[in-house]
Amino acid sequence: MEIISEWGFLFIGMAVVFGLYMSWGIGANDVANAMGMPVGSGAITVKQAIIIAAIFEFAGAFIAGGTVTKTIRKGIIDPSSISGSPELLVYGMLAALLAAGIWLMIASTRGWPVSTTHSIVGAIVGFAVAGIGVDAVNWGKIGSIVASWLVSPLIGGVIALLLMLSIRKLILNTENPFDKAKTWGPVYIFLVGWIVSLVTMFKGLKHLKLEFTAVESFVAATIFGIFVAIIGKVLINRIQVDESADKDYHYASVEKAFTPMMIFTACAMAFAHGSNDVANGIGPMAAVVSVVQNTGDIGQKAGLPLWILVLGGVGIVLGLATMGYKVMQTIGTKITELTPTRGYCATLAAATTVVLASKTGLPVSTTQIAVGAVMGVGLARGVGAIDLRVVGNIVLSWFITLPAGGILAAAFFFLFKGIFS
């Protein structure tokens, strides 16, 4: 307790700096991963992606990022055994933030799309094993994370592949693809509006105390989907066939019909992402602030001051703007070549998988879903259309993420313990 009283102000200062660093890493990797598909497909430019993320990620974090956060992330560790030594939790959370931030920086500079959730979870496990003991870790949760390495890309990939095959059959492989795009386009736009509004209601509004039943959510999503489809039909009808562009690329005019869908999806996914994943950066920061302000009382939940949410939102936007281009390149261009139709399938598949996971408890990672979905649309053109070397490096980075975060966090934990004890 004396350590908390003596160094409390410094602990809060360190939590703010490390939390901002971790949020920067989320922007550079996770948000870049979400924006990689619309950028890689040519629907928006990198500059436009940054502007969209700046507005909608920040809005998601600020409006729906939550007023209360779990201080012990995801129920990974049981803090009861250190209730008499709250400074150990402070060292651990500071170590976890710094370790996860460093790993995200390394992965981002190499263009590896890794899971920010797995980074912070690996770091918290590392500190818990080193500082509390092996029994303090809920190993069942770790098992579900390992399962997600297979489940996430598989589901995202299969849905993306099926969507791509349907577009080929209904639009691209017909005698007049542009006419078919005008016929089927509103249906695909409806799917986008329907799924994205479900994602927002299941994931993006849970902190706003807006409680909808499953039936209410589906009805509201259907109404919104129809509304978006009507707007989309009007926009598609205005598109003129560009014969000169069609000479170079047979489906150039068809691809134009899918571009507005990508922009809409990018905005909505950025909002849902900001409302959820900002917690990875600010959860441990809030835990440190809570322990210090309550003079050592360890709670499972902590109030989330507004300034912490703002800090998280600012960090995310800065990360995307300064380092996000590397991961955007990997997702958008290096795994396989994306066009608006392929980007549409990958993004919708990712959003659909998120909805499925929200309602069934499937252990999924949005990063891994996105990689699987991009692979799925590539697979529609054969295995040769996928750069397996790039995919191999990405999968390897997923395996390294947990131990890398854990080892770094354990080292920082002992460093802080040595300095302050």
Side-chain angles (χ1 to χ4, degrees):
M1 299 291 184
E2 286 180 10
I3 295 173
I4 299 286
S5 305
E6 187 179 355
W7 298 102
F9 186 73
L10 181 60
F11 289 149
I12 290 181
M14 290 170 73
V16 167
V17 174
F18 296 165
L20 190 60
Y21 180 47
M22 170 69 182
S23 300
W24 174 88
I26 294 173
N29 202 295
D30 219 29
V31 180
N33 158 45
M35 285 293 157
M37 290 178 277
V39 171
S41 66
I44 57 175
T45 64
V46 172
K47 192 176 175 183
Q48 288 167 333
I50 292 170
I51 294 171
I52 287 173
I55 296 170
F56 289 93
E57 287 275 348
F58 190 82
F62 190 72
I63 297 170
T67 54
V68 173
T69 185
K70 289 181 180 175
T71 58
I72 313 301
R73 291 286 306 144
K74 312 281 185 190
I76 296 296
I77 61 170
D78 174 13
S80 57
S81 56
I82 56 169
S83 57
S85 308
E87 69 276 9
L88 294 182
L89 183 66
V90 172
Y91 302 151
M93 288 300 167
L94 290 175
L97 279 175
L98 187 56
I102 288 175
W103 173 244
L104 285 176
M105 185 183 71
I106 293 170
S108 301
T109 53
R110 301 190 69 83
W112 294 337
V114 297
S115 166
T116 53
T117 305
H118 293 181
S119 304
I120 194 71
V121 166
I124 290 177
V125 168
F127 126 71
V129 170
I132 308 176
V134 176
D135 294 339
V137 178
N138 181 352
W139 292 104
K141 286 276 184 182
I142 307 302
S144 71
I145 288 174
V146 173
S148 76
W149 293 340
L150 179 66
V151 173
S152 303
L154 190 65
I155 297 178
V158 168
I159 295 175
L161 177 64
L162 293 175
L163 277 169
M164 195 65 233
L165 292 177
S166 76
I167 288 179
R168 273 191 172 182
K169 182 170 177 58
L170 296 174
I171 298 175
L172 299 180
N173 291 347
T174 58
E175 286 188 9
N176 196 331
F178 187 68
D179 281 349
K180 291 296 181 185
K182 290 170 89 172
T183 303
W184 288 102
V187 176
Y188 286 105
I189 294 174
F190 167 80
L191 284 177
V192 170
W194 190 64
I195 289 292
V196 167
S197 40
L198 280 180
V199 171
T200 307
M201 278 185 278
F202 289 163
K203 303 275 282 184
L205 300 180
K206 64 183 180 183
H207 298 305
L208 291 180
K209 297 180 181 175
L210 292 175
E211 297 284 339
F212 294 107
T213 64
V215 174
E216 287 169 343
S217 297
F218 279 106
V219 170
T222 303
I223 293 170
F224 187 70
I226 292 171
F227 174 69
V228 175
I230 292 169
I231 294 174
K233 185 168 177 57
V234 173
L235 291 174
I236 290 175
N237 286 341
R238 287 182 180 177
I239 296 172
Q240 300 295 319
V241 175
D242 187 343
E243 292 182 357
S244 60
D246 282 347
K247 281 180 186 173
D248 298 328
Y249 180 61
H250 185 54
Y251 303 116
S253 298
V254 175
E255 297 291 352
K256 275 187 184 176
F258 281 82
T259 301
M261 301 183 215
M262 290 298 300
I263 297 169
F264 170 70
T265 320
C267 297
M269 290 303 286
F271 181 87
H273 182 273
S275 65
N276 277 280
D277 286 13
V278 71
N280 286 327
I282 61 178
M285 181 169 34
V288 174
V289 172
S290 172
V291 170
V292 172
Q293 289 182 339
N294 293 305
T295 55
D297 182 37
I298 299 175
Q300 279 286 351
K301 291 185 177 180
L304 200 54
L306 204 58
W307 63 268
I308 290 185
L309 269 174
V310 173
L311 207 65
V314 169
I316 279 180
V317 174
L318 283 175
L320 178 69
T322 54
M323 187 56 79
Y325 66 96
K326 286 261 188 184
V327 173
M328 276 195 268
Q329 273 182 342
T330 303
I331 292 284
T333 59
K334 290 188 176 176
I335 297 175
T336 191
E337 186 189 353
L338 288 181
T339 61
T341 50
R342 294 170 199 156
Y344 160 82
C345 293
T347 311
L348 186 59
T352 306
T353 311
V354 170
V355 169
L356 283 173
S358 297
K359 284 296 156 194
T360 58
L362 279 172
V364 296
S365 149
T366 48
T367 302
Q368 292 160 1
I369 293 169
V371 171
V374 172
M375 286 176 63
V377 295
L379 205 58
R381 291 181 296 139
V383 177
I386 300 172
D387 190 331
L388 293 176
R389 187 183 57 80
V390 173
V391 173
N393 286 336
I394 292 172
V395 173
L396 183 63
S397 72
W398 294 348
F399 280 96
I400 299 172
T401 295
L402 275 182
I407 292 168
L408 280 172
F412 287 128
F413 172 78
F414 287 122
L415 177 67
F416 295 144
K417 192 178 175 187
I419 292 173
F420 293 105
S421 297

